[in-house]
Amino acid sequence: VISGYIPGVLAITVDYLDLSIHGRRIFEELAVNITRTCHLMYSKSPSGLAGEHIRIHRDRWVISGGYELRPEAIEAFFYLWRRTKEDKYREWAWEVFEKIEQFCRAPYGYSTVLHSRARHPRQDNVMHSFVIAETFKYLYLIFSDDDVLPLDTYVFNTEAHPLRIRPEIPWGEST
């Protein structure tokens, strides 16, 4: 699931690279396909939550481990939504949010679950800091208007903190 951040990188960098039309298409298709795989990691799990470990052998998916409330798939849904405006990305994000509410909500926050393959997974009493900083931030942003942290004005670091793009600083030039 951690590699789910890659579609966002592809979707954003395609505008900044000097690519042919064919090259752009490859980047965009790769972003879409990885994002679809992220969604399948959730939808193929009996709980609707992605396991920490997933192996794909031919058409067989082997899902194991708990759900750690990681943000990467939701991050991919966010970037692809902003790029394409295809409703499926918001729908996928909402499905994940509903499962988080159903299985991860705890009396004082949100908990990881022990086994994502269980139909009713048991909570593990662990809440990572990235749940609020990243997972819920991307869920908020995917349902917000595009003028909330616009992607032509802000870039997100690896912890989803928005950093304002400063066009007066030239790219690729040493100082």
Side-chain angles (χ1 to χ4, degrees):
V1 175
I2 292 177
S3 60
Y5 75 91
I6 293 171
V9 172
L10 295 171
I12 295 301
T13 57
V14 74
D15 290 333
Y16 296 95
L17 299 176
D18 186 23
L19 296 172
S20 66
I21 293 171
H22 177 70
R24 288 180 66 87
R25 191 174 311 121
I26 289 172
F27 265 58
E28 291 166 349
E29 287 177 9
L30 187 56
V32 166
N33 289 333
I34 294 170
T35 304
R36 183 181 313 112
T37 302
C38 288
H39 173 254
L40 289 171
M41 291 188 294
Y42 284 83
S43 67
K44 286 186 171 286
S45 173
S47 66
L49 298 171
E52 189 67 8
H53 309 286
I54 297 166
R55 287 189 326 262
I56 304 171
H57 181 70
R58 296 193 178 123
D59 289 337
R60 186 168 173 249
W61 289 60
V62 179
I63 302 168
S64 61
Y67 177 61
E68 298 289 325
L69 291 156
R70 293 199 187 277
E72 287 81 8
I74 299 164
E75 178 181 357
F77 303 159
F78 162 71
Y79 280 110
L80 270 286
W81 159 253
R82 285 274 181 104
R83 180 129 188 114
T84 69
K85 299 298 184 224
E86 291 183 35
D87 287 333
K88 68 182 175 186
Y89 299 114
R90 278 185 163 173
E91 292 165 8
W92 293 350
W94 186 252
E95 289 168 9
V96 172
F97 174 72
E98 287 182 319
K99 294 301 180 179
I100 289 171
E101 283 293 305
Q102 182 179 358
F103 295 122
C104 302
R105 188 165 181 101
Y108 302 105
Y110 290 83
S111 174
T112 60
V113 299
L114 292 168
H115 304 287
S116 65
R117 288 192 41 79
R119 291 208 181 279
H120 300 284
R122 192 166 48 104
Q123 292 184 352
D124 194 23
N125 198 29
V126 174
M127 181 175 161
H128 301 289
S129 61
F130 57 74
V131 175
I132 302 296
E134 297 177 71
T135 305
F136 288 135
K137 186 180 297 172
Y138 284 119
L139 281 166
Y140 171 79
L141 288 171
I142 197 169
F143 295 104
S144 297
D145 292 334
D146 288 0
D147 62 351
V148 176
L149 298 174
L151 296 179
D152 61 350
T153 308
Y154 292 91
V155 64
F156 295 96
N157 71 7
T158 58
E159 299 302 316
H161 301 305
L163 303 172
R164 189 170 181 81
I165 297 169
R166 296 188 53 198
E168 69 273 12
I169 298 175
W171 284 74
E173 295 180 17
S174 60
T175 55

